[in-house]
Amino acid sequence: MSWWWRTRRAHVLLPLGLASLALLALVLRDNTAGLPSFSVSGSSETRIMLFAPIPLVALLALCLDSRLPAAEDTGVRPVRRMDTALVGLVMAASVVVCLPLGWWLDADAVRAAGRNTVFFVSLLLLLRPFAGQAAVLAPLTWLMTVVLLGFRRPNDPYPWTVVPEPSGAAHAALATVALLLAGVAVHHRGPRRGI
């Protein structure tokens, strides 16, 4: 287990990712920025907090990509289960960081950041076995698609976008849980191509 922990560098990278999420939450809160969009108005006021989970997701991907292929492919240790447990710990920690911080700051975007982190990590897990290291771009690609195409009118996202929805949106929570189940299943049982 200690070789796995040291190889993944989780003890260094993931606390940095969680600290960046908390720091960005403290700084960004519910602040918005006018970003270009293909909506009727041509721009949308997007909460900048949508981008806050990206560093944590990228660091988690770096941890999962830090491997000893020969030892992991031929060994008898349950490496995939340990990786899945690590991913679950990171997602739970992000929710535990964001929910109380969001209530304390009275910022709905911060409360939703925990759900958004779970959504982005699930998207990463779903694509990693097929795309390899390039799957790290999936959360950012999703986010840019949402910014460009995801709004009917300013501050009115389509339901499929998930991440700009308020923290209490039931359909966003259901979509995140469905993606999480699919992502964990594919990560745990899918092919190991490119990783």
Side-chain angles (χ1 to χ4, degrees):
M1 172 108 164
S2 65
W3 67 268
W4 170 82
W5 192 253
R6 283 195 309 270
T7 301
R8 294 297 186 264
R9 296 177 291 172
H11 62 292
V12 174
L13 296 175
L14 296 178
L16 285 174
L18 288 168
S20 76
L21 181 61
L23 181 62
L24 287 170
L26 287 169
V27 172
L28 299 176
R29 301 181 187 194
D30 277 334
N31 293 330
T32 61
L35 299 177
S37 173
F38 294 115
S39 66
V40 176
S41 68
S43 69
S44 64
E45 286 294 316
T46 305
R47 291 180 174 170
I48 308 170
M49 191 63 199
L50 294 179
F51 293 88
I54 298 297
L56 175 60
V57 175
L59 288 172
L60 177 62
L62 180 61
C63 285
L64 294 175
D65 290 336
S66 300
R67 302 183 63 232
L68 295 173
E72 292 181 28
D73 293 341
T74 60
V76 294
R77 290 186 175 94
V79 173
R80 283 195 186 200
R81 277 187 276 164
M82 292 189 294
D83 284 346
T84 303
L86 177 66
V87 167
L89 179 68
V90 168
M91 288 189 290
S94 69
V95 171
V96 166
V97 165
C98 291
L99 276 179
L101 209 53
W103 289 112
W104 180 61
L105 296 171
D106 192 28
D108 187 62
V110 175
R111 288 191 296 272
R115 179 202 64 212
N116 293 345
T117 302
V118 172
F119 183 85
F120 289 144
V121 169
S122 302
L123 188 61
L124 172 77
L125 291 180
L126 187 65
L127 296 175
R128 261 185 94 244
F130 308 105
Q133 293 177 344
V136 74
L137 296 174
L140 189 57
T141 302
W142 181 272
L143 192 53
M144 295 313 297
T145 302
V146 166
V147 168
L148 290 173
L149 303 171
F151 291 87
R152 290 179 279 236
R153 292 175 300 280
N155 301 321
D156 185 17
Y158 288 106
W160 62 264
T161 58
V162 178
V163 291
E165 296 289 347
S167 62
H171 70 281
L174 288 174
T176 301
V177 169
L179 188 63
L180 172 63
L181 294 174
V184 169
V186 168
H187 169 74
H188 195 65
R189 300 198 189 285
R192 293 187 78 97
R193 180 192 162 274
I195 54 174

